Each structure stands twice: as C-alpha cells, then as structure tokens.
Amino acid sequence: MTRKRMIKLLMSVGCDRNHATAGANLCDGSTSHAEIYHRALRWFSFVEDDFTGAVAGTVGSVYG
C-alpha cells in the first residue's frame, strides 16, 4: 500500500488529514502501511464500542 493510499483510507474512516499523515508516517521498514491501517481500524472499533456502552449507562432510562 502506498503512503498516499494509506492517508486516503484513514481519512475515509474519520481521521483528519494531520492525524492520517501522522499514522502514515508511523510506517517504517519493519511495519507496513496495511498493518498500521488494521491496527487503527481495531482501535476505532474499540473506542466506538466502549463509548456507546458508557454513554448509555450514564444517561439513564427514558422509561423509568
């Protein structure tokens, strides 16, 4: 995967350009762009799952 493609993919999942560029710059000879992209997707899914449960618990029930 090229650096430019990595930046576009990260921006498509919600990263702004500066963070996407920083993520693409993490790639070195031992870590590929694809590996960094998959780690970022796992982190985004963890954050989304984590916050949806926490927010619902703190808001309370509408029906009770």
Side-chain angles (χ1 to χ4, degrees):
M1 179 182 311
T2 64
R3 183 177 180 275
K4 184 177 180 179
R5 180 72 178 145
M6 171 78 170
I7 293 170
K8 286 183 178 184
L9 285 171
L10 287 172
M11 288 175 60
S12 73
V13 295
C15 286
D16 66 353
R17 184 176 296 276
N18 292 332
H19 289 119
T21 302
N25 289 338
L26 291 174
C27 305
D28 56 5
S30 64
T31 308
S32 68
H33 285 101
E35 187 176 345
I36 295 291
Y37 180 68
H38 289 294
R39 286 182 188 176
L41 288 181
R42 282 197 316 249
W43 186 81
F44 285 136
S45 66
F46 170 75
V47 168
E48 183 176 308
D49 290 343
D50 185 40
F51 283 122
T52 55
V55 171
T58 60
V59 171
S61 176
V62 176
Y63 302 107

mmCIF file of all heavy atoms in Angstrom, residues 8-9 21 26 35 38-39 44-46 54 63:
data_model
loop_
_atom_site.group_PDB
_atom_site.id
_atom_site.type_symbol
_atom_site.label_atom_id
_atom_site.label_comp_id
_atom_site.label_asym_id
_atom_site.label_seq_id
_atom_site.Cartn_x
_atom_site.Cartn_y
_atom_site.Cartn_z
ATOM 1 N N LYS A 8 -5.550 8.372 2.450
ATOM 2 C CA LYS A 8 -6.937 8.421 1.971
ATOM 3 C C LYS A 8 -7.823 7.445 2.736
ATOM 4 O O LYS A 8 -8.959 7.771 3.082
ATOM 5 C CB LYS A 8 -6.988 8.124 0.473
ATOM 6 C CG LYS A 8 -6.495 9.249 -0.379
ATOM 7 C CD LYS A 8 -6.645 8.918 -1.846
ATOM 8 C CE LYS A 8 -6.194 10.073 -2.714
ATOM 9 N NZ LYS A 8 -6.431 9.801 -4.134
ATOM 10 N N LEU A 9 -7.328 6.246 2.997
ATOM 11 C CA LEU A 9 -8.117 5.256 3.738
ATOM 12 C C LEU A 9 -8.378 5.712 5.166
ATOM 13 O O LEU A 9 -9.488 5.560 5.681
ATOM 14 C CB LEU A 9 -7.415 3.902 3.736
ATOM 15 C CG LEU A 9 -7.483 3.126 2.429
ATOM 16 C CD1 LEU A 9 -6.572 1.910 2.487
ATOM 17 C CD2 LEU A 9 -8.903 2.711 2.135
ATOM 18 N N THR A 21 -1.847 11.663 8.208
ATOM 19 C CA THR A 21 -0.455 11.784 7.795
ATOM 20 C C THR A 21 0.472 11.254 8.883
ATOM 21 O O THR A 21 1.446 10.558 8.603
ATOM 22 C CB THR A 21 -0.114 13.248 7.475
ATOM 23 O OG1 THR A 21 -1.003 13.706 6.455
ATOM 24 C CG2 THR A 21 1.307 13.398 6.995
ATOM 25 N N LEU A 26 4.080 6.565 10.659
ATOM 26 C CA LEU A 26 4.491 5.537 11.615
ATOM 27 C C LEU A 26 5.095 4.315 10.932
ATOM 28 O O LEU A 26 5.736 3.500 11.583
ATOM 29 C CB LEU A 26 3.300 5.092 12.462
ATOM 30 C CG LEU A 26 2.755 6.095 13.456
ATOM 31 C CD1 LEU A 26 1.487 5.548 14.101
ATOM 32 C CD2 LEU A 26 3.789 6.415 14.515
ATOM 33 N N GLU A 35 -0.537 -3.002 8.020
ATOM 34 C CA GLU A 35 -0.572 -3.382 9.432
ATOM 35 C C GLU A 35 -1.004 -2.203 10.305
ATOM 36 O O GLU A 35 -1.830 -2.353 11.206
ATOM 37 C CB GLU A 35 0.805 -3.875 9.870
ATOM 38 C CG GLU A 35 0.838 -4.439 11.262
ATOM 39 C CD GLU A 35 2.195 -5.011 11.610
ATOM 40 O OE1 GLU A 35 3.021 -5.235 10.715
ATOM 41 O OE2 GLU A 35 2.412 -5.235 12.809
ATOM 42 N N HIS A 38 -4.793 -1.666 9.810
ATOM 43 C CA HIS A 38 -5.607 -2.640 10.545
ATOM 44 C C HIS A 38 -5.597 -2.348 12.044
ATOM 45 O O HIS A 38 -6.619 -2.502 12.710
ATOM 46 C CB HIS A 38 -5.134 -4.065 10.267
ATOM 47 C CG HIS A 38 -5.445 -4.525 8.885
ATOM 48 N ND1 HIS A 38 -6.725 -4.720 8.434
ATOM 49 C CD2 HIS A 38 -4.646 -4.794 7.829
ATOM 50 C CE1 HIS A 38 -6.701 -5.099 7.175
ATOM 51 N NE2 HIS A 38 -5.451 -5.152 6.781
ATOM 52 N N ARG A 39 -4.473 -1.925 12.571
ATOM 53 C CA ARG A 39 -4.421 -1.537 13.987
ATOM 54 C C ARG A 39 -5.326 -0.337 14.247
ATOM 55 O O ARG A 39 -6.019 -0.278 15.270
ATOM 56 C CB ARG A 39 -2.995 -1.187 14.394
ATOM 57 C CG ARG A 39 -2.089 -2.370 14.544
ATOM 58 C CD ARG A 39 -0.726 -1.922 14.996
ATOM 59 N NE ARG A 39 0.221 -3.014 14.962
ATOM 60 C CZ ARG A 39 1.500 -2.880 15.231
ATOM 61 N NH1 ARG A 39 1.985 -1.705 15.563
ATOM 62 N NH2 ARG A 39 2.296 -3.914 15.180
ATOM 63 N N PHE A 44 -10.329 2.092 16.372
ATOM 64 C CA PHE A 44 -11.567 2.845 16.160
ATOM 65 C C PHE A 44 -12.785 2.029 16.581
ATOM 66 O O PHE A 44 -13.703 2.547 17.197
ATOM 67 C CB PHE A 44 -11.731 3.273 14.705
ATOM 68 C CG PHE A 44 -10.845 4.407 14.305
ATOM 69 C CD1 PHE A 44 -10.162 4.368 13.106
ATOM 70 C CD2 PHE A 44 -10.684 5.517 15.117
ATOM 71 C CE1 PHE A 44 -9.350 5.421 12.724
ATOM 72 C CE2 PHE A 44 -9.867 6.563 14.745
ATOM 73 C CZ PHE A 44 -9.199 6.518 13.541
ATOM 74 N N SER A 45 -12.805 0.740 16.271
ATOM 75 C CA SER A 45 -13.952 -0.084 16.645
ATOM 76 C C SER A 45 -14.008 -0.260 18.162
ATOM 77 O O SER A 45 -15.080 -0.299 18.742
ATOM 78 C CB SER A 45 -13.914 -1.438 15.946
ATOM 79 O OG SER A 45 -12.831 -2.210 16.389
ATOM 80 N N PHE A 46 -12.858 -0.360 18.829
ATOM 81 C CA PHE A 46 -12.826 -0.468 20.289
ATOM 82 C C PHE A 46 -13.354 0.803 20.936
ATOM 83 O O PHE A 46 -14.173 0.759 21.844
ATOM 84 C CB PHE A 46 -11.400 -0.735 20.775
ATOM 85 C CG PHE A 46 -11.242 -0.617 22.261
ATOM 86 C CD1 PHE A 46 -11.713 -1.615 23.088
ATOM 87 C CD2 PHE A 46 -10.655 0.492 22.833
ATOM 88 C CE1 PHE A 46 -11.588 -1.514 24.463
ATOM 89 C CE2 PHE A 46 -10.517 0.615 24.196
ATOM 90 C CZ PHE A 46 -10.984 -0.395 25.020
ATOM 91 N N ALA A 54 -20.815 3.161 27.581
ATOM 92 C CA ALA A 54 -20.618 4.062 28.714
ATOM 93 C C ALA A 54 -21.611 5.213 28.692
ATOM 94 O O ALA A 54 -22.166 5.579 29.710
ATOM 95 C CB ALA A 54 -19.181 4.603 28.714
ATOM 96 N N TYR A 63 -37.619 5.492 30.227
ATOM 97 C CA TYR A 63 -38.906 4.917 30.611
ATOM 98 C C TYR A 63 -39.053 4.708 32.116
ATOM 99 O O TYR A 63 -40.066 4.238 32.569
ATOM 100 C CB TYR A 63 -39.098 3.573 29.887
ATOM 101 C CG TYR A 63 -39.041 3.728 28.396
ATOM 102 C CD1 TYR A 63 -37.951 3.290 27.671
ATOM 103 C CD2 TYR A 63 -40.086 4.330 27.699
ATOM 104 C CE1 TYR A 63 -37.885 3.433 26.307
ATOM 105 C CE2 TYR A 63 -40.028 4.487 26.339
ATOM 106 C CZ TYR A 63 -38.936 4.038 25.649
ATOM 107 O OH TYR A 63 -38.896 4.183 24.298
#
